[in-house]
């Protein structure tokens, strides 16, 4: 074959791409991309310009409100206090005292009126009593002798052997002897009474609350109470109530008392309402009488619910009622949609909510929840919550 060098180098491959065409294509793609990016940027800028508010200012919050109305609820008041004996009787030494020989009862036992609780060693008083008996016998013998001598003198006076003066003398001797007998008998009765007071007795039937004496202990009339007895075992709760709540409590009102740790509640009645109010705490005391039960322990703490008649009152959810140092309160929305604080007195808490005994008429728009994040005077947008 005959190949020419020059002919081979000038041949063109028709399948190879044209460089100028490729360059133009790349330029068009680049221009199109830049145009699209510019359009996006302008669109975002235009959108921001239209969404920007005409005037800046604080946003007004939207709050859920309810109009509670009024329903029939029990006007109850809750208070706390301490349990104790209604009539606590301290029992001490009524006589001279001495060394305690026996203690016959313990705390928690029931006793009868006059029952012996403890005895004091009567050795000294018993000896004195025996001495008094001997003095009575001696005085009676002297009185009998004086009477015999007087009788003899009266038999001889008619014969002239005894003068009238001797009769008067023997009569006086007889009367003095009889007087000594009465004196000795009175001293004996006194000693017997003192001996009887050595037995420490319960002044009334009741429940022994405290025992503060042991055998061998020396006691006297100046000693502190040896026993504490609850008269008839009747207890009471001294419930402390605020001044405004105490005004609603009446004698005879039923009260439900629940001691701390007890498995059940007990029913009592108000038997006394304090006539005074503590000027410091602004509280008074309502005394609630309770029948004895082993679960009612004097000194314990208990909760009392005072029940009165049913009244028409608003009922709010717990989320709507707030509390601080000034007391319980709610937030209401006035006609200008402004937040206003309203102090309230709460009553019984039930599954339906908290009864509002005073402070609301039931027609107000009350903030349902999130009241802690609001301030009085703040403007809001109320959203009325419909009843379920």
């Amino acid at each position: 074959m005959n190949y020419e060098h020059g002919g081979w180098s000038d041949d063109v491959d028709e399948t190879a791409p044209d460089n100028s065409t490729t360059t133009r294509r790349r330029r068009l793609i680049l221009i199109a991309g830049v145009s699209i990016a510019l359009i996006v940027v302008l669109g975002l800028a235009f959108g921001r310009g239209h969404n920007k508010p005409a005037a800046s200012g604080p946003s007004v919050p939207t709050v859920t409100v309810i109009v509670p109305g009024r329903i029939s609820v029990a006007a109850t008041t809750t208070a706390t206090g301490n349990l104790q004996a209604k009539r606590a009787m301290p029992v001490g030494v009524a006589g001279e005292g001495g060394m305690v020989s026996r203690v016959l009862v313990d705390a928690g036992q029931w006793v009868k009126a006059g029952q012996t609780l403890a005895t004091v060693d009567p050795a000294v008083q018993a000896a004195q009593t025996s001495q008094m008996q001997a003095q009575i016998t001696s005085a009676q013998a002297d009185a009998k002798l004086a009477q015999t001598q007087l009788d003899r003198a009266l038999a001889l006076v008619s014969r002239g052997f005894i003068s009238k003066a001797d009769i008067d003398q023997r009569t006086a001797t007889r009367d003095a002897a009889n007087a000594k007998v009465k004196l000795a008998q009175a001293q004996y009765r006194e000693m017997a009474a003192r001996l009887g007071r050595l037995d420490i007795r319960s002044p009334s039937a009741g429940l022994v609350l405290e025992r503060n004496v042991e055998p061998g202990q020396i006691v006297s009339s100046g000693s502190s109470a040896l026993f504490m007895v609850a008269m008839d075992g009747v207890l009471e709760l001294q419930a402390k109530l605020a001044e405004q709540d105490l005004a609603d409590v009446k004698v005879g009102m039923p009260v439900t008392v629940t001691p701390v740790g007890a498995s059940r509640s007990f029913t009592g009645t108000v038997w006394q309402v304090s006539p005074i109010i503590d000027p410091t705490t602004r509280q008074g005391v309502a005394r609630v009488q309770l029948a004895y039960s082993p679960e009612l322990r004097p000194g314990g703490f208990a909760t009392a619910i005072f029940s009165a008649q049913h009244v028409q009152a608003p009922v709010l959810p717990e989320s709507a009622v707030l509390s601080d140092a000034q007391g319980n309160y709610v937030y209401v929305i006035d006609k200008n949609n402004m937040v206003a604080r309203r102090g309230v007195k709460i009553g019984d808490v039930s599954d339906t909510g908290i009864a509002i005994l005073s402070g609301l008429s039931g027609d107000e728009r009350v903030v349902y929840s999130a009241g802690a994040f609001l301030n009085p005077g703040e403007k809001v947008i109320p959203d009325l919550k419909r009843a379920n």
Side-chain angles (χ1 to χ4, degrees), residues 119-173:
T119 59
V120 176
D121 187 1
V124 175
Q125 288 79 359
Q128 291 177 341
T129 301
S130 299
Q131 181 181 356
M132 293 297 103
Q133 289 178 327
Q135 290 178 354
I136 292 173
T137 302
S138 176
Q140 289 174 338
D142 292 341
K144 184 177 181 180
L145 177 59
Q147 183 65 48
T148 301
Q149 291 177 348
L150 176 60
D151 292 339
R152 288 176 181 174
L154 290 174
L156 296 175
V157 71
S158 58
R159 301 179 188 180
F161 295 108
I162 299 296
S163 65
K164 180 64 175 173
D166 291 336
I167 295 298
D168 294 339
Q169 180 65 39
R170 285 180 170 80
T171 301
T173 301

Side-chain angles (χ1 to χ4, degrees), residues 75-78 241 245-257 266-273 286-290 304-309:
T76 60
T77 302
T78 302
L241 291 157
D245 293 333
L246 193 67
D248 298 329
V249 177
K250 308 299 180 185
V251 173
M253 178 183 293
V255 183
T256 301
V257 177
F266 303 85
T267 301
T269 55
V270 177
W271 74 272
Q272 185 184 78
V273 179
R287 303 177 70 176
V288 181
Q289 178 174 311
L290 296 160
I305 299 177
F306 295 79
S307 301
Q309 72 281 359

Side-chain angles (χ1 to χ4, degrees), residues 6 8 24 41 83 94 97 154 160 186 194 203 216 282 330 332 346:
W8 178 82
R24 284 196 301 270
V41 171
L83 293 165
L154 290 174
R194 291 166 61 185
R282 310 308 306 172
V330 298
V332 298
I346 65 174

Side-chain angles (χ1 to χ4, degrees), residues 4-323:
E4 294 183 1
H5 177 72
W8 178 82
S9 61
D10 291 335
D11 288 341
V12 176
D13 187 359
E14 293 181 355
T15 62
D18 187 1
N19 291 334
S20 61
T21 302
T22 303
T23 301
R24 284 196 301 270
R25 186 178 299 170
R26 290 177 179 174
R27 288 177 181 175
L28 290 174
I29 293 173
L30 179 60
I31 293 171
V34 171
S35 299
I36 293 173
L38 182 60
I39 292 172
V40 172
V41 171
L42 291 175
L44 292 175
F46 183 80
R48 289 196 186 98
H50 280 276
N51 292 333
K52 183 177 181 181
S56 61
S59 61
V60 178
T62 300
V63 297
T64 303
V65 299
I66 57 173
V67 179
R70 301 174 72 87
I71 63 174
S72 179
V73 297
T76 60
T77 302
T78 302
T80 57
N82 294 320
L83 293 165
Q84 62 184 42
K86 179 181 178 181
R87 294 283 185 247
M89 299 178 297
V91 182
V93 178
E96 297 177 353
M99 185 180 70
V100 176
S101 57
R102 293 185 303 165
V103 179
L104 305 176
V105 298
D106 210 337
Q109 294 181 353
W110 287 87
V111 294
K112 300 178 181 179
Q115 180 176 334
T116 301
L117 307 180
T119 59
V120 176
D121 187 1
V124 175
Q125 288 79 359
Q128 291 177 341
T129 301
S130 299
Q131 181 181 356
M132 293 297 103
Q133 289 178 327
Q135 290 178 354
I136 292 173
T137 302
S138 176
Q140 289 174 338
D142 292 341
K144 184 177 181 180
L145 177 59
Q147 183 65 48
T148 301
Q149 291 177 348
L150 176 60
D151 292 339
R152 288 176 181 174
L154 290 174
L156 296 175
V157 71
S158 58
R159 301 179 188 180
F161 295 108
I162 299 296
S163 65
K164 180 64 175 173
D166 291 336
I167 295 298
D168 294 339
Q169 180 65 39
R170 285 180 170 80
T171 301
T173 301
R174 189 272 316 270
D175 292 342
N178 288 335
K180 289 181 179 179
V181 171
K182 293 180 180 180
L183 176 61
Q185 290 174 339
Q187 290 175 339
Y188 173 78
R189 288 193 296 270
E190 178 189 2
M191 184 57 62
R194 291 166 61 185
L195 182 62
R197 286 199 299 269
L198 292 178
D199 289 338
I200 301 169
R201 302 177 183 275
S202 175
S204 174
L207 177 69
V208 179
L209 301 178
E210 297 179 11
R211 164 184 163 170
N212 302 313
V213 64
E214 298 296 334
Q217 184 175 335
I218 304 299
V219 297
S220 66
S221 57
S223 300
S224 58
L226 306 182
F227 299 91
M228 187 68 69
V229 177
M231 181 184 294
D232 299 325
V234 179
L235 305 178
E236 71 171 9
L237 173 70
Q238 293 196 357
K240 296 181 179 180
L241 291 157
E243 183 176 3
Q244 63 272 20
D245 293 333
L246 193 67
D248 298 329
V249 177
K250 308 299 180 185
V251 173
M253 178 183 293
V255 183
T256 301
V257 177
T258 306
V260 173
S263 59
R264 64 187 183 97
S265 298
F266 303 85
T267 301
T269 55
V270 177
W271 74 272
Q272 185 184 78
V273 179
S274 174
I276 61 173
I277 299 294
D278 189 314
T280 303
T281 62
R282 310 308 306 172
Q283 290 182 327
V285 176
R287 303 177 70 176
V288 181
Q289 178 174 311
L290 296 160
Y292 171 76
S293 172
E295 296 180 78
L296 296 173
R297 296 180 176 85
F301 193 74
T303 301
I305 299 177
F306 295 79
S307 301
Q309 72 281 359
H310 282 68
V311 298
Q312 296 293 320
V315 175
L316 295 175
E318 294 186 27
S319 61
V321 181
L322 305 175
S323 180

